[in-house]
């Protein structure tokens, strides 16, 4: 059987450690659809999984990579045929089912999304789980009456993958975007994405009152912890927060006052388990009104062999935008 290269995560002496190995299809978890991978990406979750910094892998060994785009090599399911361009994000990929960091990927047909018209395989991984999460967060905010005319929208962890894409999408939809960032050197980048105001993280005075000055019509949060608590205390009447991240902590200490006196809504965003009808709808939007027109600025391409160098950057908060992993033809 033909061998191919994969970045597999093992548990060595109780610690997670990823390395490149040669596999055959028989080594992969079962599934009806075999995909020749063209691109994958690096999300925060991938960095947690590959390094063991977070306990996200539920089964060892596991090929890493929660995202992949590529071309169907074979399918035992009538919905897909050899040659179809497809993408997969989330579900158990890269955490409990062999994932996208491999030249060949095998998954259940129920996880596979046909590449929407208007996106290339590269575009799909500039977006990946990050873009899907940003799109889902915006969609959920809109379902909760967020509109550009309501006021300012704040995006935290602004230079990160999800938030960079969210800023671009919100700006294209006409929202007035405020970016909260820890990176002083990236203000021009954030402005180029469409942020109108930038708050340096070190200048932020959070206050301690249960309700502080109401500033935001909507918020998208990749940080959690004190930052999310501060957001709850500074939302305008009926403001909505989409909470998708924990880059700054998992705790949330606030009071009920924002909820009962200002009608604040806290919306949880879980991209991995999004059901297929909503998933397809979001991907259609990502290829349409949410499609970032500056995707090349958000993304940089990393050859497959250099994948492990990206993980520490994400964990140290040093990464900007999206790392797209070129798998096909990268040797
Ligand atoms: N719920 C879901 O479905 C879902 C999907 C995707 C991602 N996520 C989560 O969303 C978050 C962002 O993911 P990502 O892939 O965009 O990661 P990322 O590219 O590493 O972005 C995270 C950003 O958060 C900021 N940050 C990092 N450490 C921080 C700290 N200690 N305190 C405050 N801010 C900090 C940094 O931005 P600045 O330097 O600009 O502040 C960093 O670039 C992660 O927690 C991830 O697990 C959740």
């Amino acid at each position: 059987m033909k061998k191919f290269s994969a970045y597999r995560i093992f548990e060595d002496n109780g610690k997670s450690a990823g390395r490149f190995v040669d596999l055959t299809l028989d080594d992969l978890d079962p599934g009806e659809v075999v995909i020749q991978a063209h691109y994958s990406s690096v999300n925060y979750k991938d960095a947690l999984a590959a390094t063991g910094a977070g306990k996200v892998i539920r089964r060892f060994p596991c090929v890493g990579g929660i995202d992949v785009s590529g071309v169907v090599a074979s399918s035992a399911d009538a919905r897909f045929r050899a040659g179809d361009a497809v993408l997969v994000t989330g579900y158990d990929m890269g955490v409990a089912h062999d994932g996208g960091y491999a030249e060949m990927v095998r998954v259940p047909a129920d996880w596979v999304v046909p590449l929407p018209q208007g996106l290339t395989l590269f575009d799909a991984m500039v977006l990946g789980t990050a873009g899907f999460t940003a799109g889902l967060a915006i969609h959920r905010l809109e379902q909760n009456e967020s509109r550009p005319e309501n006021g300012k929208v704040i995006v935290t962890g602004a230079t990160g993958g999800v938030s960079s894409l969210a800023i671009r999408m919100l700006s294209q939809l006409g929202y007035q975007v405020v970016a909260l960032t820890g990176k002083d050197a990236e203000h021009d980048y954030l402005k180029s994405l469409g942020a109108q105001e930038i708050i340096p993280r070190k200048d932020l005075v959070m206050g301690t009152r249960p309700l502080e000055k109401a500033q935001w019509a909507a918020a998208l949060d990749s940080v959690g912890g004190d930052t999310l608590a501060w957001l709850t205390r500074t939302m305008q009447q009926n403001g909505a927060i989409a909470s998708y991240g924990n880059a700054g902590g998992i705790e949330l200490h606030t009071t009920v006052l924002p909820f009962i006196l200002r009608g604040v809504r806290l919306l949880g965003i879980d991209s991995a388990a999004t059901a297929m009808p909503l998933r397809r709808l979001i991907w259609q939007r990502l290829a349409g009104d949410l499609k970032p027109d500056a995707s090349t600025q958000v993304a940089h391409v990393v050859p497959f062999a250099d994948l492990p160098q990206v993980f520490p950057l994400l964990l140290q908060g040093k990464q900007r935008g999206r790392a797209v992993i070129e798998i096909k033809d990268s040797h």
Side-chain angles (χ1 to χ4, degrees):
M1 233 182 178
K2 208 173 158 214
K3 290 197 167 176
F4 56 86
S5 179
Y7 186 81
R8 202 168 216 193
I9 301 157
F10 296 84
E11 194 171 36
D12 294 338
N13 302 321
K15 282 191 173 169
S16 299
R19 54 182 175 267
F20 284 101
V21 291
D22 284 336
L23 299 179
T24 67
L25 273 186
D26 279 351
D27 297 317
L28 295 182
D29 286 312
E32 298 84 26
V33 182
V34 176
I35 300 166
Q36 184 189 18
H38 285 224
Y39 298 100
S40 184
S41 79
V42 185
N43 300 277
Y44 197 77
K45 192 173 177 181
D46 292 309
L48 293 176
T51 58
K55 298 221 174 306
V56 295
I57 298 242
R58 303 203 303 274
R59 202 263 351 255
F60 292 96
C62 189
V63 175
I66 65 172
D67 295 340
V68 73
S69 69
V71 171
V72 173
S74 67
S75 173
D77 184 288
R79 286 171 289 178
F80 300 99
R81 289 184 183 182
D84 287 353
V86 294
L87 65 95
V88 187
T89 65
Y91 294 106
D92 285 344
M93 280 257 292
V95 292
H97 184 106
D98 290 315
Y101 295 154
E103 289 170 308
M104 303 303 285
V105 175
R106 183 161 67 181
V107 289
D110 285 346
W111 296 1
V112 181
V113 176
L115 185 73
Q117 217 172 9
L119 292 183
T120 63
L121 290 172
F122 177 76
D123 296 335
M125 287 298 104
V126 170
L127 294 161
T129 285
F132 181 77
T133 304
L136 181 61
I138 292 168
H139 188 77
R140 294 282 294 125
L141 288 169
E142 287 174 348
Q143 286 178 325
N144 283 272
E145 287 109 41
S146 289
R147 300 287 177 270
E149 57 274 20
N150 295 357
K152 294 178 182 177
V153 179
I154 185 164
V155 181
T156 70
T159 64
V162 183
S163 294
S164 287
L165 287 162
I167 290 170
R168 187 73 211 143
M169 291 175 197
L170 287 163
S171 161
Q172 285 173 208
L173 292 172
Y175 286 90
Q176 195 182 335
V177 182
V178 178
L180 175 64
T181 182
K183 297 190 187 74
D184 291 339
E186 298 293 358
H187 293 194
D188 286 345
Y189 164 71
L190 292 169
K191 283 186 185 148
S192 76
L193 296 178
Q196 293 183 11
E197 267 178 63
I198 292 164
I199 304 177
R201 200 190 303 154
K202 62 177 178 351
D203 294 352
L204 186 63
V205 180
M206 290 189 173
T208 53
R209 290 179 298 177
L211 295 173
E212 296 283 348
K213 184 182 167 201
Q215 300 183 67
W216 321 116
L220 292 90
D221 181 49
S222 63
V223 175
D226 289 344
T227 304
L228 178 55
W230 169 74
L231 289 175
T232 64
R233 296 185 283 117
T234 52
M235 298 304 292
Q236 293 173 8
Q237 203 70 29
N238 294 322
I241 306 168
S243 159
Y244 47 81
N246 60 351
I250 60 165
E251 307 237 331
L252 176 58
H253 299 287
T254 187
T255 71
V256 297
L257 294 192
F259 308 107
I260 63 175
L261 295 182
R262 287 187 180 163
V264 170
R265 280 169 263 192
L266 184 55
L267 310 172
I269 304 296
D270 176 14
S271 62
T274 303
M276 193 46 93
L278 178 58
R279 186 176 286 262
R280 285 201 183 210
L281 175 74
I282 300 298
W283 276 107
Q284 288 305 330
R285 288 198 65 183
L286 291 171
D289 68 326
L290 295 179
K291 184 178 175 183
D293 60 17
S295 53
T296 45
Q297 233 172 349
V298 173
H300 59 281
V301 179
V302 178
F304 194 19
D306 295 343
L307 167 68
Q309 296 168 21
V310 184
F311 302 131
L313 297 178
L314 264 86
L315 294 179
Q316 293 158 22
K318 290 185 182 157
Q319 165 85 1
R320 177 183 111 171
R322 297 275 295 149
V324 175
I325 306 301
E326 187 173 42
I327 295 181
K328 187 170 177 277
D329 302 330
S330 86
H331 300 286

